[in-house]
Amino acid sequence: MTSSELWTRAAADRYDAEEAEASSAAVLGPTLAFLAELAGDGRALEFAIGTGRVGVPLRERGVPVAGIELSEPMAAVLRRKVDEDTLPVVIGDMATTVVPGGFALVYLVYNTITNLLTQDEQVECFRNAARHLEPGGRFVIELGVPPLRLLPPGQVAVPFDVSQRHLGFDTFDLVEQILVSHHFTRDGDDGHYRRENSRHRYAWPAELDLMARIAGLRLERRVADWDGSPFTQDSAKHVSVWRKPA
């Protein structure tokens, strides 16, 4: 069992429209180039592949891609885009589910490791990545740096989007390392907003490095974004690459 919250059918059906900007060629281009270079001539496995925002165009670039996805409705949306023979997907959680064969690359994007709400499960996710990697293979995670520097004493909420159609803010439990993302989304022009929230366990880069060491992986590279820009103390997120010894 996993502590991850399941995406519902309604949320899955909305996902691609709500993430249209993140799915644009301008945004995805550097991501796909980064991952394709690491995969080389080998196979890639995406943990929490969702509707295939990254996996489908990566497959179209010629990289053989397989996926693991916990939400059957999300996988059903992906299946409308590509058949099982072209991009196989196993339904299950990313901490324990096993896909046949070895991979040159395992990747986990868009903060999705935080869907695992315990440290033990996040460690198991690293172990599962290592289990799938061939010698010399790499595990890649894209993850935001917890914005705790923005919290003055006594405050537990940080806004991340204030726009005409969406209000978003995170609240933090600093003891349990749990954040809750709150979303108020305007669906139409009648003034009504849809309210949603999701729980996540945030983790620091150094904590992930220790999880990787437990799994037998070593940090190879950390950058601030898919374009390879340097990671600094002011970076809002990181893309980290750990390698399995050859």
Side-chain angles (χ1 to χ4, degrees):
M1 298 296 292
T2 177
S3 60
S4 296
E5 297 175 349
L6 273 173
W7 287 78
T8 64
R9 183 170 301 279
D13 287 340
R14 291 193 305 265
Y15 184 83
D16 284 351
E18 293 181 344
E19 297 297 336
E21 182 178 353
S23 303
S24 67
V27 173
L28 271 185
T31 306
L32 300 176
F34 192 105
L35 294 174
E37 180 180 1
L38 291 182
D41 296 328
R43 302 168 68 214
L45 173 63
E46 180 171 355
F47 284 178
I49 195 170
T51 66
R53 181 183 69 90
V54 175
V56 170
L58 186 62
R59 180 65 184 87
E60 291 171 350
R61 285 200 172 204
V63 178
V65 177
I68 295 173
E69 174 54 44
L70 182 63
S71 168
E72 293 190 46
M74 292 287 276
V77 174
L78 180 151
R79 195 53 66 222
R80 299 171 197 164
K81 306 171 185 177
V82 63
D83 61 50
E84 177 71 17
D85 289 338
T86 303
L87 201 166
V89 174
V90 176
I91 301 300
D93 72 89
M94 57 188 164
T96 62
T97 301
V98 176
V99 175
F103 295 85
L105 173 68
V106 177
Y107 64 94
L108 180 54
V109 301
Y110 222 31
N111 301 320
T112 312
I113 193 170
T114 66
N115 290 1
L116 298 170
L117 298 178
T118 69
Q119 186 182 69
D120 285 345
E121 286 178 322
Q122 291 178 355
V123 169
E124 288 307 311
C125 182
F126 273 84
R127 284 179 166 151
N128 200 31
R131 182 180 299 123
H132 285 91
L133 286 173
E134 297 170 341
R138 296 172 173 92
F139 182 35
V140 177
I141 284 182
E142 175 190 24
L143 183 60
V145 176
L148 301 190
R149 293 169 64 187
L150 301 178
L151 284 174
Q155 181 172 311
V156 296
V158 173
F160 58 84
D161 185 32
V162 180
S163 59
Q164 191 171 15
R165 304 196 71 86
H166 178 254
L167 302 175
F169 61 93
D170 292 331
T171 54
F172 292 84
D173 180 335
L174 302 182
V175 175
E176 299 296 331
Q177 285 186 216
I178 295 293
L179 70 84
V180 181
S181 286
H182 304 264
H183 301 267
F184 293 83
T185 306
R186 188 175 180 178
D187 279 330
D189 295 322
D190 58 1
H192 288 88
Y193 282 77
R194 169 170 39 89
R195 179 179 181 179
E196 299 172 302
N197 61 68
S198 58
R199 294 187 301 152
H200 306 268
R201 182 186 186 272
Y202 63 85
W204 300 95
E207 184 180 6
L208 298 182
D209 290 343
L210 184 55
M211 294 181 189
R213 290 179 66 88
I214 291 171
L217 308 176
R218 293 295 181 268
L219 180 68
E220 180 178 75
R221 185 183 182 195
R222 174 167 290 129
V223 292
D225 210 338
W226 297 105
D227 61 6
S229 51
F231 180 74
T232 72
Q233 65 179 3
D234 296 318
S235 297
K237 74 171 189 179
H238 61 97
V239 176
S240 296
V241 181
W242 297 273
R243 190 168 189 178
K244 185 174 183 176

